[in-house]
Amino acid sequence: MDKNGFTPNDNRTVLGMLAGEIGKSNRGRNRILAGAVFLCIVTLTMVFGISFGKAKAEYTRAVRSAGTAASACIEGADFKQYEKVRDLEYVKLAGRSVPVGEGISSEGAGKEGREADAESAGKERREASAEGADGDRRICQIQWLDHLTWEEIIKPAYTDVFGHYPAEGQELMLPVKALESLGISEPEPGMKISLKVNVGLFRTVEEEVSLCGWYTDYRENRPGLSFGYISEEKIRSWGYDMEGKSDVLICQSDSMDWRTAEKRLYEDVPGKIRLSVQNTAACDAVRLTAGGYDTAVLGAVVVLGGMFFLVYNVMAISMAGDIRQMGLLNTIGATGRQLRKVYMRQILSAAGLGAAAGVAGASGVLGF
């Protein structure tokens, strides 16, 4: 006997029968509950799924347009400044980039290159294919990047990346536009290319490089040339000190706006620095989608709260009609635990049906 003097009935068959019979008598209520669960899942999917997709699309567009995922850059920073930046708590990523000069081709572009130039649009392509008085053509800017900068900051801005980042001395990675400017429409790994490179301001070297990779960038509406990348071994052979000055590319916290980030960097990085800062691509994407992180969190709380109270109120109203039945069952010996099992079986059955339909409906909405 339990503490109330009743003898519990533990017959599971009886409990299942009671749950089924009570469910049949409450079919209308169960349909409403299933419909509420279905509506909640579809609504949450539309609000969060579509918003997430739009924010991700805005992020990708911004990163590709900028040519980098970095939101701040310190030009000509020394190695101690770089190490300091890397240790700052509000800096997610910090990598090094060393600009070398321009890659120049003194060979005339072939027919394929001229056709590609004729079809291209934008100031960058016209500048890249323009010939000087001596017949030289500027095809790209040459840079060295450390591994983190390439993988986490620069590579996300490109598509159709083939091959690998330069690892050996004569390896070179070029953008597709530069290859087209050279008359190469079908590049292959290991292809030999002759280039002149302006190393710094007063030095020009001629190199026969091996193409180790290529990529597609999206800099049509930005001034300047695209970038070609060289190995650490090559930049050392040209006399660069790898612990000397470099540009430091920074990704600060997404919740920090550019004004705050600029102020903190000026305060925290020792010495004089030349700094440019903007909002992160993720921050701008959320702002364009939801008005900012604060608004996004508030909207999420409102939506989740609304869905919770919808289901809660449907269940509370439906339970009011079952109180008498539960009381009668209790008087004939059913325990509170048994009553909960009976009631939860029919509730979970209705909710499970609504959840399954909601998942199917939400998948259709997202697919569309």
Side-chain angles (χ1 to χ4, degrees):
M1 298 179 64
D2 66 5
K3 64 180 181 180
N4 294 320
F6 296 110
T7 301
N9 184 352
D10 291 327
N11 193 319
R12 295 184 179 182
T13 304
V14 174
L15 293 178
M17 180 189 69
L18 288 174
E21 292 300 320
I22 294 175
K24 290 179 181 179
S25 65
N26 292 322
R27 286 178 179 175
R29 185 277 311 279
N30 290 342
R31 290 193 186 100
I32 295 174
L33 177 59
V37 174
F38 170 82
L39 179 63
C40 287
I41 292 178
V42 173
T43 302
L44 291 175
T45 301
M46 292 179 65
V47 172
F48 293 106
I50 295 176
S51 296
F52 176 80
K54 185 177 186 301
K56 186 176 181 180
E58 291 291 346
Y59 171 83
T60 302
R61 181 195 60 79
V63 169
R64 289 182 179 176
S65 178
T68 175
S71 50
C73 177
I74 301 177
E75 298 181 16
D78 59 39
F79 198 75
K80 290 183 178 180
Q81 291 174 324
Y82 161 68
E83 290 184 324
K84 177 62 178 179
V85 170
R86 192 173 56 178
D87 292 337
L88 296 175
E89 60 179 8
Y90 54 88
V91 172
K92 296 189 301 181
L93 294 172
R96 303 177 71 213
S97 167
V98 178
V100 177
E102 293 182 345
I104 300 171
S105 173
S106 58
E107 299 178 358
K111 180 179 178 181
E112 292 176 342
R114 290 193 296 270
E115 290 176 351
D117 291 341
E119 293 175 356
S120 63
K123 182 178 178 180
E124 176 189 288
R125 177 61 61 79
R126 292 195 298 271
E127 289 182 356
S129 60
E131 294 189 6
D134 56 358
D136 289 348
R137 293 178 303 104
R138 303 157 54 232
I139 63 166
C140 66
Q141 299 181 58
I142 302 297
Q143 280 191 345
W144 169 82
L145 307 174
D146 63 20
H147 178 75
L148 175 66
T149 305
W150 167 249
E151 291 291 338
E152 302 293 338
I153 299 178
I154 300 299
K155 189 177 179 180
Y158 300 149
T159 60
D160 300 327
V161 180
F162 295 95
H164 62 271
Y165 187 84
E168 298 180 359
Q170 294 303 112
E171 289 186 334
L172 176 69
M173 172 175 276
L174 288 175
V176 170
K177 296 173 186 175
L179 293 172
E180 290 176 349
S181 181
L182 291 169
I184 301 173
S185 60
E186 297 182 359
E188 296 180 359
M191 178 180 290
K192 302 298 182 182
I193 299 175
S194 296
L195 283 180
K196 290 182 180 179
V197 180
N198 290 332
V199 181
L201 297 177
F202 307 108
R203 181 184 174 191
T204 300
V205 296
E206 294 189 14
E207 298 281 349
E208 184 179 58
V209 296
S210 175
L211 185 66
C212 66
W214 57 92
Y215 64 89
T216 300
D217 68 341
Y218 299 85
R219 292 174 54 90
E220 284 86 353
N221 298 320
R222 294 177 61 83
L225 301 170
S226 298
F227 295 99
Y229 301 108
I230 59 174
S231 66
E232 180 177 340
E233 181 181 342
K234 173 52 65 176
I235 197 172
R236 286 181 182 274
S237 72
W238 286 340
Y240 280 82
D241 180 6
M242 302 313 297
E243 293 190 358
K245 292 188 175 182
S246 63
D247 294 343
V248 178
L249 304 180
I250 302 169
C251 296
Q252 76 261 21
S253 172
D254 293 331
S255 61
M256 180 178 289
D257 62 38
W258 72 269
R259 294 182 180 85
T260 304
E262 183 179 64
K263 180 180 178 182
R264 293 285 299 275
L265 286 170
Y266 273 122
E267 292 175 349
D268 296 337
V269 180
K272 294 182 179 180
I273 58 175
R274 290 180 294 172
L275 176 65
S276 60
V277 189
Q278 59 186 3
N279 289 333
T280 65
C283 179
D284 282 342
V286 172
R287 179 177 56 81
L288 291 171
T289 302
Y293 281 100
D294 295 341
T295 306
V297 171
L298 178 61
V301 171
V302 170
V303 172
L304 291 173
M307 296 300 101
F308 169 78
F309 284 114
L310 172 63
V311 176
Y312 179 82
N313 288 333
V314 169
M315 291 185 64
I317 293 171
S318 66
M319 287 177 66
D322 294 334
I323 292 177
R324 184 176 181 181
Q325 289 180 324
M326 297 297 108
L328 290 174
L329 290 173
N330 185 254
T331 59
I332 62 175
T335 65
R337 182 179 180 183
Q338 290 173 329
L339 293 178
R340 284 192 295 272
K341 285 184 177 180
V342 170
Y343 199 79
M344 289 305 296
R345 281 189 182 186
Q346 58 172 317
I347 292 297
L348 292 177
S349 176
L353 180 63
V359 170
S363 300
V365 170
L366 284 183
F368 176 76

